[in-house]
Amino acid sequence: GSEEKDRAAAASDRLGSALGPDWHEGLHLKGTKEFSHKVHIEILCEVKKIHSQQEFIQLQRTSLAFPKDEKNAEADEVLWPVYVELTNGKIYGCDFIVSATGVVPNVEPFLGGNNFAVGEDGGLKVDNHMRTSLPDVYAAGDICTASWEPSPVWHQMRLWTQARQMGWYAAKCMAADTLGESIDLDFSFELFAHVTKFFNYKVVVLGKYNAQGLGLDHELMLRCTKGQEYVKVVMQNGRMMGAVLIGETDLEETFENLILNQMDLSAYGEDLLNPDIDIEDYFD
């Protein structure tokens, strides 16, 4: 018990990455007490350093409050859990910092002395059994690049859920190859799906939810109820290609089936998102 407490205490002091669905647990978010759509942007600068509250106090510097209008920011009287110092000399305090820099596969440790085939995005190329170009070497997750012909509604996106699915499937493939058994591509790779929670709203993204690779030949259908739900559907040639569901919409299973079945929905038009029609019963 004491060892677990020590590990938890040590972990809480470290900066981390790869956020899972419970990233906000245990955080006291002061900013959520006010609702504002205003965004302040600092341009032509980078993050110079991140300070803890204690480090900021020792600096004996002044942080700035985010400006509420076009005027310059004033000194911030509030103590924040973390502070970010920018290369333009400004320091801002905040609840937490999100670094949205993308994912680059870290393959360098494996390339020395090996002749791995590498994808355009820098990952180790794997076939539909998660095998690399070298015999008996498998790869899964962020480090690999899926080089098989993907399903029209699946794409690789370096998320923790997809990495976990790849890990499970790689283990199945290794066992099947060892036993000399055949194995089909896992159903997880038929439809892109990711589920998480953001500010206590359930968020579900399905298929080509942002019209990835669909070109200009697509249309969007929207339904939004302020404070309750947001539904976006990506349609192409009358067929559902992707969706974003925020809130308790109860539409994910129905939309999964519509995307997988590629049913022609042209006849339904905007009624597809009509809140007065029980779409789940209509298609199930």
Side-chain angles (χ1 to χ4, degrees):
S2 60
E3 290 181 1
E4 290 182 1
K5 289 181 181 179
D6 291 342
R7 282 197 297 268
S12 65
D13 294 334
R14 292 198 299 266
L15 298 174
S17 60
L19 300 179
D22 302 320
W23 60 271
H24 57 82
E25 293 295 330
L27 290 178
H28 176 60
L29 306 180
K30 292 179 289 186
T32 59
K33 292 180 181 177
E34 295 182 7
F35 294 90
S36 173
H37 294 288
K38 292 183 178 180
V39 176
H40 177 67
I41 300 175
E42 292 282 348
I43 62 172
L44 302 177
C45 64
E46 297 178 1
V47 174
K48 180 180 180 181
K49 197 169 183 181
I50 296 174
H51 304 282
S52 67
Q53 186 183 95
Q54 189 61 37
E55 290 170 341
F56 171 74
I57 294 173
Q58 293 173 353
L59 279 177
Q60 296 184 338
R61 295 275 301 277
T62 301
S63 66
L64 299 175
F66 291 109
K68 297 182 178 179
D69 48 36
E70 298 299 324
K71 299 178 182 178
N72 293 329
E74 300 178 352
D76 194 351
E77 303 294 333
V78 180
L79 273 179
W80 296 90
V82 65
Y83 290 81
V84 58
E85 181 178 355
L86 305 176
T87 52
N88 61 10
K90 297 180 181 179
I91 298 179
Y92 290 101
C94 50
D95 285 311
F96 59 90
I97 296 172
V98 177
S99 175
T101 56
V103 178
V104 177
N106 182 18
V107 300
E108 192 63 33
F110 307 100
L111 297 182
N114 296 311
N115 189 27
F116 285 107
V118 178
E120 292 183 1
D121 60 2
L124 302 180
K125 279 189 173 182
V126 293
D127 63 12
N128 58 2
H129 283 187
M130 307 307 293
R131 295 175 294 209
T132 67
S133 57
L134 298 186
D136 300 323
V137 179
Y138 297 73
D142 294 351
I143 200 173
C144 78
T145 298
S147 57
W148 65 83
E149 184 65 31
S151 158
V153 289
W154 185 87
H155 61 278
Q156 185 176 4
M157 188 173 180
R158 288 179 168 88
L159 295 167
W160 63 274
T161 47
Q162 198 171 85
R164 182 177 60 189
Q165 290 168 346
M166 284 184 167
W168 284 342
Y169 180 56
K172 292 178 182 178
C173 290
M174 284 186 278
D177 285 351
T178 300
L179 297 173
E181 299 176 352
S182 63
I183 188 170
D184 295 326
L185 190 64
D186 194 276
F187 70 91
S188 298
F189 305 103
E190 293 181 17
L191 171 69
F192 174 83
H194 181 66
V195 183
T196 186
K197 272 201 169 184
F198 196 72
F199 289 105
N200 210 34
Y201 284 100
K202 183 169 72 173
V203 179
V204 180
V205 286
L206 301 170
K208 300 296 181 71
Y209 66 92
N210 204 25
Q212 294 92 333
L214 297 183
L216 299 177
D217 183 26
H218 71 274
E219 61 177 336
L220 304 180
M221 298 174 62
L222 298 175
R223 183 175 94 195
C224 182
T225 305
K226 188 174 181 179
Q228 294 185 28
E229 64 172 14
Y230 172 89
V231 178
K232 181 183 83 170
V233 172
V234 180
M235 305 290 294
Q236 187 176 52
N237 299 323
R239 290 166 171 79
M240 190 180 297
M241 301 300 295
V244 177
L245 308 172
I246 302 177
E248 298 297 332
T249 66
D250 293 327
L251 291 171
E252 51 265 34
E253 186 175 351
T254 301
F255 281 9
E256 278 182 349
N257 291 329
L258 291 177
I259 294 171
L260 284 170
N261 295 338
Q262 286 296 283
M263 181 186 300
D264 188 349
L265 304 171
S266 304
Y268 304 100
E270 295 184 358
D271 282 340
L272 196 64
L273 296 186
N274 188 334
D276 296 325
I277 297 177
D278 194 338
I279 197 75
E280 184 177 0
D281 291 341
Y282 199 83
F283 286 105
D284 284 355

